[in-house]
Amino acid sequence: MEEIGDSLSGKILKVTTIEDMPLSGTETINGTVRGVGMVFEMLELLEETLNFSHIVVPSTDPVETVFQGKADFISAFLPIPRQPDGLSYSTPLSVAKWVLLMPRPSKSLFGSGLLAPFTLEVWMLTLSTLVIMGPLFFSIIKLRHKLVRPSAAKSRLYRLGECVWFTYGAIMKQGSPLDPSDDTTRLLFATWWIFITILTSYYTANLTAFLTLSRFTLPISHPEELAEKSIKWFGKSDGALEQAITGEDDEMSYLKDSLENGHGQLLECSNQQIIDLVLQDHVYLGELRKIQALVFESYKENFDKYEDAVSRCQMVSTTEPFLSRPTALAFQENSSLPQIFNPVLRSMVESGVVRHILNSKKPDSEVCPLHLGNSEKQLKLSDFTSTCLAVVFGFSLALLAFLFEKMLSKFFEWKSKTKVASNTSRKVFYPKEFLQIKQSNTPACIDPKLFIIHKAVGKSRFQIKQSLAVQFQYLE
């Protein structure tokens, strides 16, 4: 293509574009192909300023069309690649951000019941504190009693069990029979009470908010989780996403294995095909404005079919982008058009014209947000799952404690009997005045000399040295 001079007045430029509505696309009217979308609204302003016109060259591969000289430039918001690709780009027009689009889950994965107010780290630290504080209190109190002279130590030394039960009772906001008289122990107990008061207040407030408000979280927040969980996903081919996944900079190489294993796809598909795949439990990786348009389109389609917000908003997107790229128009590598376009484009960017065009098709309010903002929430049985599990766990633990105590009692009883039985050969000496023989109806006295008997376990029968079985009756 011959180089264009400094002035474009009266010139007709050949442009090609990509199908990426609402940003860019084409339509045919009376056999004539014309460009539509936000980028062509911006191109009309360029034509008025630089006094040129354009014709659209349809193409399934716009980059190759420009390389072959069949088009002067690509009229689309193309992401500027990090590596040279043989094209020359204009001044950045906007920043494209990629997010995830997925079917709206039927329930939030924020948490369940009693465990929802705190994160796992907070729960672990709280449980660790409960385990440590009881023995720590006992150690400090015992150390004080050792360091302080006995005459000055007025409070008694609490046992380890009492200190442990104090820490557990305090977190349940129960009183304690412990009444320390020394300042050290009082300060220890008061510090623990303050900590527990603040902790339980936060827990109660967050639990109330969780059970009464419609707080919602998504099962996936980053593409890394797609690879970890082997979830089906797809995205647009021949773009910044494919370059980030398969490029040499390994920016999103974690999805490369997922792509090779068949869990992901990079393809060209229409808006309706994207919606259908997402509703079939696939996750779409797309540009933010594209996804907002898809969600709005689905919402309008479902508005007359359903009355509740959940059925109308069947898709939801993440809020934090995982990929960002500046976008621009693309020209041939040695084209002089960027030098002519850039001053005007820069002025349009700085004055907010480009931002106004990009936001002109957006609704005034956010469509299908993550939190639908229901004014009230009815508690379901699933909200009390953790509560029921806590009750079952408590009763099961009490039953195990009862069985352990019963087994322990039986063990000590058996040990006591075994100890007594082991003493059956022990010699016991009794004088005659303590014993009477019941061999007949008439009591008889034992020989005045001392004699030896062997005591049987749990019985009142004794065996004398001559192995004569007799029954003795003795005084306590």
Side-chain angles (χ1 to χ4, degrees):
M1 184 184 73
E2 297 182 357
E3 290 189 1
I4 302 177
D6 294 336
S7 175
L8 295 178
S9 179
K11 298 288 185 180
I12 300 177
L13 300 181
K14 294 179 291 183
V15 301
T16 185
T17 188
I18 61 176
E19 296 296 333
D20 190 25
M21 292 297 293
L23 299 178
S24 60
T26 59
E27 65 178 7
T28 303
I29 301 178
N30 298 326
T32 302
V33 180
R34 60 186 297 268
V36 292
M38 300 177 183
V39 71
F40 283 94
E41 295 181 20
M42 183 182 66
L43 186 60
E44 290 178 3
L45 296 177
L46 282 173
E47 290 178 340
E48 294 177 3
T49 304
L50 299 176
N51 193 26
F52 71 93
S53 59
H54 74 276
I55 59 173
V56 177
V57 178
S59 174
T60 57
D61 190 350
V63 175
E64 186 64 25
T65 301
V66 172
F67 281 155
Q68 295 176 0
K70 297 179 180 180
D72 296 319
F73 66 95
I74 302 175
S75 180
F77 291 98
L78 295 179
I80 302 177
R82 294 188 174 182
Q83 302 296 334
D85 60 350
L87 294 176
S88 177
Y89 291 87
S90 68
T91 186
L93 303 175
S94 65
V95 177
K97 300 177 181 179
W98 277 258
V99 295
L100 304 177
L101 180 65
M102 66 193 74
R104 181 178 291 274
S106 58
K107 61 180 181 179
S108 173
L109 298 182
F110 172 74
S112 177
L114 300 179
L115 302 179
F118 292 158
T119 61
L120 178 61
E121 291 80 4
V122 175
W123 280 117
M124 296 299 294
L125 290 175
T126 302
L127 293 177
S128 302
T129 305
L130 284 176
V131 173
I132 294 173
M133 292 309 296
L136 182 61
F137 284 167
F138 173 74
S139 301
I140 295 176
I141 295 173
K142 188 174 182 179
L143 179 62
R144 178 193 176 278
H145 275 261
K146 287 185 177 181
L147 296 179
V148 179
R149 291 178 300 176
S151 59
K154 297 181 181 180
S155 62
R156 71 181 182 88
L157 179 62
Y158 295 120
R159 298 190 302 272
L160 176 61
E162 292 177 319
C163 295
V164 171
W165 280 115
F166 167 76
T167 57
Y168 283 94
I171 201 170
M172 301 303 297
K173 296 185 178 181
Q174 299 296 318
S176 173
L178 304 184
D179 186 18
S181 58
D182 59 277
D183 295 335
T184 303
T185 309
R186 287 175 176 175
L187 289 173
L188 287 175
F189 286 7
T191 302
W192 180 247
W193 272 108
I194 293 174
F195 171 76
I196 288 302
T197 300
I198 297 174
L199 183 69
T200 53
S201 298
Y202 280 134
Y203 177 81
T204 304
N206 287 343
L207 181 63
T208 302
F210 171 78
L211 293 177
T212 56
L213 300 179
S214 298
R215 190 173 182 179
F216 204 86
T217 54
L218 296 176
I220 302 171
S221 58
H222 196 272
E224 288 184 1
E225 301 177 39
L226 298 175
E228 294 173 356
K229 301 177 181 179
S230 300
I231 298 176
K232 296 289 186 179
W233 61 271
F234 67 103
K236 186 178 182 298
S237 60
D238 298 328
L241 180 64
E242 183 174 1
Q243 294 175 2
I245 296 175
T246 61
E248 297 179 356
D249 54 357
D250 295 333
E251 185 177 6
M252 295 180 62
S253 59
Y254 47 83
L255 286 181
K256 184 180 297 184
D257 294 337
S258 178
L259 186 65
E260 294 175 352
N261 294 333
H263 295 113
Q265 301 179 72
L266 295 174
L267 43 84
E268 290 287 344
C269 50
S270 63
N271 290 353
Q272 188 58 47
Q273 290 174 330
I274 295 176
I275 295 175
D276 293 339
L277 285 174
V278 169
L279 295 181
Q280 295 174 10
D281 293 331
H282 287 67
V283 177
Y284 176 64
L285 284 64
E287 201 273 329
L288 177 60
R289 293 186 179 89
K290 174 79 171 181
I291 285 182
Q292 289 175 341
L294 290 173
V295 173
F296 188 39
E297 183 178 337
S298 175
Y299 176 79
K300 291 189 297 182
E301 183 180 347
N302 296 327
F303 186 83
D304 295 331
K305 297 180 181 179
Y306 308 101
E307 296 182 357
D308 59 299
V310 176
S311 298
R312 290 174 176 175
C313 297
Q314 298 179 356
M315 300 187 301
V316 63
S317 63
T318 55
T319 56
E320 295 296 328
F322 63 86
L323 181 66
S324 298
R325 287 286 188 276
T327 61
L329 304 180
F331 306 85
Q332 286 186 348
E333 188 172 13
N334 299 321
S335 174
S336 62
L337 288 177
Q339 299 177 0
I340 302 174
F341 280 17
N342 282 343
V344 181
L345 291 175
R346 191 177 298 111
S347 176
M348 294 173 63
V349 172
E350 294 174 353
S351 61
V353 174
V354 176
R355 183 185 302 109
H356 172 73
I357 293 174
L358 291 174
N359 296 331
S360 60
K361 298 295 190 297
K362 290 178 59 177
D364 295 335
S365 59
E366 185 179 4
V367 178
C368 296
L370 180 61
H371 310 292
L372 292 178
N374 295 343
S375 59
E376 60 182 18
K377 175 185 176 181
Q378 290 182 331
L379 297 182
K380 302 178 182 178
L381 184 60
S382 58
D383 295 323
F384 297 95
T385 302
S386 298
T387 308
C388 298
L389 291 177
V391 174
V392 173
F393 176 77
F395 276 93
S396 301
L397 194 61
L399 179 60
L400 291 176
F402 168 74
L403 295 176
F404 177 75
E405 291 176 353
K406 188 67 175 176
M407 294 174 60
L408 201 62
S409 175
K410 290 290 185 181
F411 171 75
F412 283 118
E413 183 179 351
W414 172 81
K415 187 176 181 180
S416 177
K417 290 181 179 180
T418 305
K419 184 177 180 181
V420 174
S422 64
N423 295 329
T424 54
S425 61
R426 186 178 59 182
K427 296 180 179 181
V428 185
F429 297 89
Y430 292 92
K432 70 171 185 177
E433 57 268 17
F434 282 81
L435 300 169
Q436 289 182 335
I437 301 178
K438 287 188 176 182
Q439 288 182 318
S440 62
N441 294 332
T442 304
C445 293
I446 299 296
D447 186 4
K449 298 179 181 180
L450 296 177
F451 63 94
I452 301 174
I453 64 173
H454 299 274
K455 186 177 181 182
V457 179
K459 298 180 181 180
S460 60
R461 299 187 64 84
F462 298 84
Q463 187 174 9
I464 62 176
K465 190 174 182 181
Q466 292 79 6
S467 300
L468 175 62
V470 294
Q471 184 176 6
F472 290 90
Q473 182 181 13
Y474 61 92
L475 302 175
E476 293 289 337

